[in-house]
Amino acid sequence: MDDFFERKKKELNIELNEIQKLAVMQSEGPLLLLSCPGSGKTTTIIMKIGYLLEEKNVPASRIKAITFSRASARDMAERFKKFFPDQKPVEFSTIHSLAFTITRQFLQKTGVTYDLIEGSNSRKGSVQKHFLLKDLYKKVLKEDCTEDELTALSTFISSLKNRMIPFNEWQEIEGPFERAGQIALQYEQMKTRTYKHLLLDFDDMLTIAEQALRTDEELAAYYQGLYDYLLTDESQDTSLVQHRIIEHIVAFHGNLCVVADDDQSIYTWRGAEPDYLLDFKKVYPDAQLLKMERNYRSSKEIVDASALFIERNKNRYPKKMHTANPEAGPIQIKQLEDPKRQLEYITYELLNEQRLNEVAILFRNNSSSTLYVNELHRRGIPFYMKDADDKFFSHWVVEDILNFMRLSFNMTRKDIFLKIIMKMNAYISRSMIITFERTNTRGNVFDSFMECVDLKKDQIDKLKHYQEVYDKIPQMRPAQVIRMIRYELDYEEALKSRAKKFGFRFDQLSTILDTLEGIASQLKTMVEFANRLKELEQAVQKAKYHPSENAVTLSTFHSAKGLEFRRVFMIDLVKGIIPSDEDEKDRTLLEEARRLFYVGMTRAKERLELLSYQSVDGKQKEDSKFINEMRGILMKPEERKMEKLQKADVSIPLNPDGICQREELSVGMHISHRVFGRGTIQEITDEMVSILFGNTEKRLSLEMVLSRRLLEKVAV
């Protein structure tokens, strides 16, 4: 078969390694192809399809390739056409597209009609999924549903279906908030309440397709005979119901190639089943296993460190990612003073970049992007948003802040007052709101409310305090106003209560307020602030749909999967963000968070910078657990020796000339370190001292260097 590979080398200038060749030639029976980042999986898949066509003479119509997204399907179809222009096109599609075809055929056969309630294909005027869920939420919980809750509820229902949880267990599954399982069950009942007519969302296409292939022998036989070879890409992100659909289709011939990387499984929260890959031979006992471990993308430093980092996960296939690429410079770990300094550092680095389209800023939470959007837009640095967070600007927290501000312009606005009074932590009940709403009143809303509603003394005292705060607001700059809203009007306390009641993460809500404060800090009036938010919202839309050709990419770690950049900044790497507090409490979640961090690292080709900060609003922050792991991995042999020396329970003679007092150290001082030699002090904090040794900056424990007198002052 070398003729095929030699021919393609001449035609396409593509030379496969030995493992890739084995993967291409392994055509009969099931194959699990584990593909490390940057290992050329797409090229291998396309070459495998070409091999089936040219060497095995398989008709194109008998081959089916299933991808994770429509974008991937388009990309692979274009790549196939480029590699094999004379061949008939092979069918590339998503699993949802295939499932919908099966579902439609099954429902037509059983005489059931349907309406799609999700996506662009849903019929105009039909019921929409989000409205249905909002109505049920209010019916069950007697509260209006926020966009956060709606998203969480939708994801929860999707996860239940994708994991094939029986309906009778739904109410027992822990949801994002109280009684989520009950709402989910009522949602399903409502969609099927009309005889012989269904309301279908995206996940119903999967569950009905699986049911059809499992119960309808004639339909199953048709699809089992439709294709002779199936290939699935990004299978680490495939859910149980999706795997089952594939199992049904290949049941006759078993010619299945599953391309995946269990180390990049980052979607279990929406139903992906990475354990399915670990149990692959239980489902397909005759399966072959191949590992594509050579990374063609990244520098030696990035590949070596990433490989060691992901090995800390236990629930995985053992792999040894390696590369023949040369070194390109060390991975940088930087701890900045605060998020503002982090932003400034990246901004100035970008101003010195000529090829911005080869640079990415990656973060875990989408809310992190807004401050960067503000600063990049302000400085005229073009940016592209992989997953534009335009929802930030319509988030209920943002709307709350704007409503607080709107009331200050007209203290008689009863409609605005009614929207925010329950956000002031004055323990106002809904019945009080209804009473006030039904009363005809004029004048200052605080006075009117206290006159119309029966209140306790402590409630009256609070409302009077709030009224005094509002008297000060018109003279203040918008950043000051936001701080007054947070702390003087008790909005932050109200947020904590709401987070506890509905299962929100308060730290994420607080981050939104920090972001708004950051945007407001450059502005003089509340009107300017409101206009700036609109301006940024438009900029985000433009950055998503009409980006500049030379634009820096802003993306979450999740959305960056599959992409690559010459230089990558991973930001906000502090405890509580990645891994989150929830991640650290659960080994399974912690391993997924580590996989997510690994995905971020392996996007970089030459330069990777891991950034954290010391504090936010004066509150100390700890570095991410993963940052500390990376410090250990990057530690050089002499540094490990030093660490062992420091930890050893032996008596080490102290240098009588060594510095032992914090006051003796200063930035710019030239020193000599017992192990690392001569250096210059760059920064001193309460816990660390940063010293530049040659071209390498090291952060050392202040307590350690002082107590062991490891530094000695030297002349220039």
Side-chain angles (χ1 to χ4, degrees):
M1 291 306 109
D2 283 343
D3 289 345
F4 173 78
F5 298 115
E6 286 298 322
R7 191 166 70 246
K8 292 306 154 189
K9 182 180 176 180
K10 292 176 183 177
E11 292 174 2
L12 305 170
N13 196 29
I14 292 175
E15 185 172 6
L16 301 186
N17 63 39
E18 291 306 310
I19 294 295
Q20 290 171 328
K21 289 179 181 179
L22 287 174
V24 166
M25 293 188 293
Q26 173 63 44
S27 57
E28 305 307 307
L31 167 67
L32 176 57
L33 181 58
L34 295 175
S35 167
C36 287
S39 59
K41 71 177 178 64
T42 303
T43 297
T44 305
I45 293 172
I46 299 300
M47 293 290 277
K48 184 176 180 67
I49 293 172
Y51 175 82
L52 290 172
L53 294 168
E54 294 189 357
E55 299 299 318
K56 304 283 286 185
N57 296 315
V58 177
S61 61
R62 306 295 298 174
I63 303 171
K64 175 70 173 177
I66 297 173
T67 66
F68 184 65
S69 67
R70 283 179 289 184
S72 297
R74 286 193 299 269
D75 177 61
M76 292 184 76
E78 290 171 4
R79 191 90 65 98
F80 173 79
K81 187 176 181 180
K82 181 179 178 182
F83 282 14
F84 300 96
D86 298 330
Q87 292 290 342
K88 290 183 178 179
V90 168
E91 197 175 301
F92 295 91
S93 74
T94 64
I95 185 68
H96 276 88
S97 175
L98 173 62
F100 183 43
T101 301
I102 298 169
T103 295
R104 189 169 51 200
Q105 193 170 339
F106 177 66
L107 294 180
Q108 187 175 14
K109 184 177 178 181
T110 53
V112 176
T113 58
Y114 64 88
D115 277 332
L116 296 179
I117 62 171
E118 189 174 17
S120 57
N121 291 327
S122 55
R123 186 167 56 84
K124 189 174 182 180
S126 66
V127 176
Q128 294 295 305
K129 177 181 178 179
H130 60 283
F131 289 128
L132 198 55
L133 290 176
K134 275 189 172 183
D135 289 344
L136 287 170
Y137 182 100
K138 188 166 187 176
K139 177 182 175 184
V140 172
L141 295 178
K142 313 301 182 188
E143 292 271 356
D144 286 324
C145 184
T146 68
E147 288 301 316
D148 283 354
E149 291 161 329
L150 183 62
T151 299
L153 179 60
S154 184
T155 301
F156 174 63
I157 295 171
S158 178
S159 177
L160 292 172
K161 294 181 184 179
N162 275 275
R163 289 186 291 152
M164 300 181 73
I165 306 294
F167 286 146
N168 60 3
E169 297 178 19
W170 279 25
Q171 294 193 70
E172 309 304 318
I173 304 293
E174 183 179 355
F177 48 79
E178 186 182 1
R179 300 172 76 180
Q182 180 184 342
I183 297 172
L185 200 56
Q186 289 189 17
Y187 168 69
E188 288 306 306
Q189 292 166 347
M190 185 165 289
K191 291 198 296 94
T192 58
R193 64 182 179 181
T194 304
Y195 179 68
K196 288 285 187 176
H197 183 79
L198 299 176
L199 301 178
L200 300 182
D201 59 28
F202 284 146
D203 299 303
D204 292 327
M205 300 175 193
L206 299 172
T207 56
I208 294 174
E210 191 281 328
Q211 176 194 351
L213 295 172
R214 177 167 35 86
T215 61
D216 189 323
E217 293 184 7
E218 183 183 9
L219 191 65
Y222 169 76
Y223 280 96
Q224 287 163 1
L226 193 58
Y227 309 108
D228 293 325
Y229 297 90
L230 240 71
L231 302 93
T232 66
D233 188 23
E234 299 284 3
S235 296
Q236 73 277 355
D237 297 322
T238 301
S239 68
L240 181 59
V241 69
Q242 293 169 343
H243 282 300
R244 290 277 189 264
I245 290 171
I246 301 301
E247 286 177 29
H248 294 313
I249 294 175
V250 302
F252 179 69
H253 52 71
N255 296 330
L256 171 66
C257 175
V258 170
V259 184
D261 182 7
D262 53 314
D263 288 332
Q264 295 188 75
S265 179
I266 55 176
Y267 288 107
T268 59
W269 49 275
R270 66 184 191 195
E273 288 279 351
D275 287 350
Y276 187 95
L277 299 177
L278 299 176
D279 296 332
F280 194 74
K281 284 212 169 191
K282 293 180 181 178
V283 182
Y284 303 100
D286 300 328
Q288 298 294 312
L289 174 64
L290 291 174
K291 300 176 184 178
M292 295 188 354
E293 298 168 302
R294 180 175 175 180
N295 182 302
Y296 291 90
R297 173 189 299 154
S298 304
S299 70
K300 179 172 173 53
E301 296 96 332
I302 293 170
V303 170
D304 290 351
S306 301
L308 289 172
F309 175 76
I310 198 62
E311 282 180 7
R312 293 176 181 246
N313 274 1
K314 305 301 180 188
N315 197 35
R316 63 186 291 268
Y317 281 102
K319 294 184 283 295
K320 294 292 181 182
M321 184 170 65
H322 60 273
T323 187
N325 291 343
E327 295 183 346
I331 295 172
Q332 298 292 316
I333 298 178
K334 289 186 171 66
Q335 186 188 54
L336 287 306
E337 184 180 338
D338 54 33
K340 184 180 179 182
R341 296 290 179 267
Q342 178 185 254
L343 173 62
E344 289 174 351
Y345 168 73
I346 292 177
T347 302
Y348 284 114
E349 288 294 304
L350 293 178
L351 288 170
N352 291 320
E353 282 284 353
Q354 297 299 315
R355 295 172 292 169
L356 288 170
N357 58 328
E358 296 181 2
V359 182
I361 303 169
L362 307 183
F363 35 82
R364 181 167 198 178
N365 299 324
N366 230 330
S367 57
S368 297
S369 67
T370 309
L371 272 181
Y372 285 81
V373 167
N374 180 55
E375 188 65 12
L376 297 178
H377 184 262
R378 190 174 72 87
R379 289 182 173 270
I381 299 174
F383 61 92
Y384 163 65
M385 295 198 72
K386 179 67 171 61
D387 40 3
D389 189 22
D390 52 345
K391 288 184 179 178
F392 174 89
F393 301 98
S394 59
H395 194 282
W396 55 273
V397 170
V398 177
E399 189 61 26
D400 281 350
I401 294 297
L402 290 174
N403 279 331
F404 273 106
M405 289 181 171
R406 288 180 185 120
L407 184 61
S408 69
F409 287 97
N410 185 350
M411 294 296 293
T412 67
R413 287 286 301 274
K414 188 175 180 179
D415 55 331
I416 300 295
F417 178 79
L418 289 169
K419 291 178 181 178
I420 64 171
I421 183 57
M422 292 187 73
K423 310 289 178 69
M424 293 186 189
N425 208 40
Y427 303 102
I428 302 300
S429 68
R430 188 162 295 278
S431 62
M432 293 176 180
I433 296 294
I434 293 171
T435 299
F436 183 57
E437 192 173 11
R438 291 174 178 173
T439 307
N440 286 324
T441 59
R442 292 182 180 180
N444 185 289
V445 284
F446 284 98
D447 291 334
S448 301
F449 189 80
M450 287 185 282
E451 289 174 8
C452 298
V453 179
D454 186 19
L455 299 167
K456 296 178 181 177
K457 183 180 183 303
D458 58 339
Q459 290 174 312
I460 293 172
D461 289 342
K462 271 206 166 189
L463 288 171
K464 285 183 177 179
H465 169 67
Y466 295 153
Q467 190 171 12
E468 290 171 0
V469 172
Y470 258 101
D471 289 339
K472 303 173 187 176
I473 284 179
Q475 286 77 44
M476 292 181 172
R477 295 171 73 102
Q480 294 174 298
V481 173
I482 294 173
R483 284 192 288 274
M484 292 288 279
I485 293 168
R486 293 177 75 165
Y487 307 117
E488 294 295 316
L489 294 178
D490 290 335
Y491 181 63
E492 195 150 298
E493 287 302 314
L495 277 187
K496 288 178 182 177
S497 299
R498 190 168 181 83
K500 185 176 181 180
K501 180 178 180 181
F502 294 105
F504 296 147
R505 284 183 54 187
F506 172 72
D507 60 327
Q508 290 185 354
L509 301 179
S510 180
T511 298
I512 294 174
L513 293 173
D514 293 338
T515 299
L516 291 174
E517 206 170 309
I519 295 170
S521 65
Q522 301 159 348
L523 306 170
K524 295 180 179 179
T525 69
M526 287 182 278
V527 172
E528 286 180 358
F529 173 70
N531 290 337
R532 181 60 175 160
L533 292 183
K534 290 179 182 177
E535 190 177 20
L536 291 178
E537 185 173 13
Q538 292 168 358
V540 166
Q541 287 297 308
K542 182 180 177 182
K544 180 175 183 178
Y545 298 109
H546 305 288
S548 165
E549 288 185 7
N550 189 34
V552 60
T553 295
L554 302 178
S555 175
T556 60
F557 297 140
H558 281 98
S559 293
K561 190 155 73 72
L563 304 179
E564 58 182 46
F565 305 91
R566 178 178 53 82
R567 184 179 188 183
V568 168
F569 298 95
M570 292 172 61
I571 67 170
D572 297 346
L573 304 182
V574 296
K575 180 179 173 63
I577 292 182
I578 184 163
S580 68
D581 294 334
E582 289 83 355
D583 295 334
E584 297 221 44
K585 295 173 185 174
D586 184 298
R587 186 184 66 83
T588 301
L589 292 178
L590 182 61
E591 291 212 348
E592 177 155 358
R594 187 177 281 109
R595 294 194 295 267
L596 188 59
F597 198 93
Y598 171 75
V599 165
M601 291 177 63
T602 53
R603 300 311 94 198
K605 294 195 286 187
E606 297 177 12
R607 296 186 63 181
L608 174 62
E609 298 192 37
L610 310 177
L611 307 182
S612 66
Y613 40 79
Q614 298 172 6
S615 65
V616 176
D617 291 334
K619 298 175 184 176
Q620 290 299 307
K621 289 287 184 180
E622 293 182 39
D623 277 350
S624 161
K625 170 187 177 72
F626 299 150
I627 282 275
N628 293 326
E629 289 181 11
M630 284 302 302
R631 284 198 178 99
I633 288 169
L634 297 176
M635 197 176 287
K636 294 178 181 177
E638 67 268 21
E639 292 173 311
R640 292 195 183 96
K641 181 180 178 182
M642 183 63 198
E643 185 178 55
K644 289 180 181 178
L645 186 68
Q646 291 172 343
K647 291 181 179 178
D649 187 19
V650 294
S651 177
I652 303 173
L654 297 177
N655 177 2
D657 297 322
I659 298 171
C660 61
Q661 297 294 326
R662 162 71 175 78
E663 292 75 18
E664 296 179 55
L665 299 176
S666 61
V667 173
M669 176 187 286
H670 296 275
I671 53 87
S672 177
H673 186 280
R674 178 178 290 188
V675 173
F676 304 132
R678 294 174 70 96
T680 306
I681 296 177
Q682 303 295 303
E683 181 185 11
I684 306 169
T685 69
D686 291 338
E687 298 178 356
M688 309 290 287
V689 55
S690 296
I691 306 174
L692 185 65
F693 298 98
N695 295 322
T696 304
E697 185 173 333
K698 299 184 182 298
R699 294 182 61 79
L700 306 177
S701 165
L702 186 62
E703 179 187 5
M704 184 66 70
V705 297
L706 293 176
S707 63
R708 296 184 181 274
R709 301 191 180 187
L710 301 178
L711 304 180
E712 181 179 350
K713 184 175 181 180
V714 296
V716 179

